[in-house]
Amino acid sequence: DAYNAQDITNRSLGPGFHWTVVLSAEQQQALNWIRRATPHDAIVQMEPEVRGREEWSLIPSFGERRMAGGLPISLMSVPAYQQSSERIKAMFASFDPKAAQAIAHELHIDYVYVDGLDRDTYPGAIKFDNSPEQFVPAFKRGVVGVYRVQ
């Protein structure tokens, strides 16, 4: 409802999630950049599993772009959502930039969003910084980056 959506003072833990998710300045800048600089029909992907219930809609909600996969909060488990999310998880976990690029192409991903949570969870995420032949840096602030898939 409108009141709860505007209540950003409640930083308490709810039933398995925080009531208010706090985004860093770098995350906010990246999401604003996504909204301003990417085509409206671009597929922008973050790793969905590591974020759980709190940030499952970060890209659609704040970047206003679609994702190829995610795990939305729902009453039913949808196998297709789980399958695409597992492919995306493999893309982030892989140290092989060509294998990650192949997954991105398979899922029609145009841009990949990476932040500190991804870097802490997946050491293979370093490939996004080090492989401009597959992932062109499009936006970078601190640990947050957005990469265009080649």
Side-chain angles (χ1 to χ4, degrees):
D1 63 46
Y3 176 77
N4 286 332
Q6 68 184 349
D7 180 11
I8 59 170
T9 61
N10 186 352
R11 305 269 173 107
S12 302
L13 187 63
F17 59 91
H18 287 93
W19 289 109
T20 300
V21 175
V22 178
L23 301 177
S24 70
E26 291 85 5
Q27 288 173 305
Q28 292 176 47
Q29 290 166 5
L31 294 164
N32 286 334
W33 181 88
I34 289 167
R35 198 170 46 251
R36 283 189 341 269
T38 63
H40 290 282
D41 61 349
I43 303 297
V44 180
Q45 189 63 54
M46 63 179 188
E47 198 289 342
E49 289 192 18
V50 72
R51 288 175 169 78
R53 294 182 68 187
E54 290 186 349
E55 295 181 21
W56 69 272
S57 72
L58 192 69
I59 299 297
S61 294
F62 298 104
E64 297 179 8
R65 295 297 178 267
R66 294 182 64 177
M67 295 190 309
L71 297 171
I73 300 170
S74 67
L75 298 176
M76 300 183 312
S77 176
V78 180
Y81 293 166
Q82 187 63 45
Q83 291 167 357
S84 61
S85 294
E86 287 171 8
R87 294 295 293 147
I88 294 160
K89 181 177 180 178
M91 179 180 75
F92 273 78
S94 174
F95 281 89
D96 181 350
K98 290 181 180 179
Q101 180 189 41
I103 294 170
H105 286 169
E106 169 193 330
L107 297 173
H108 307 287
I109 296 169
D110 301 302
Y111 294 86
V112 178
Y113 170 92
V114 180
D115 65 18
L117 181 58
D118 302 307
R119 294 177 193 286
D120 291 344
T121 306
Y122 300 105
I126 192 70
K127 72 183 155 294
F128 298 115
D129 292 311
N130 296 337
S131 307
E133 300 83 17
Q134 289 80 31
F135 301 96
V136 177
F139 175 92
K140 188 80 163 87
R141 295 288 186 286
V143 297
V144 181
V146 180
Y147 305 86
R148 185 172 46 82
V149 178
Q150 286 289 85

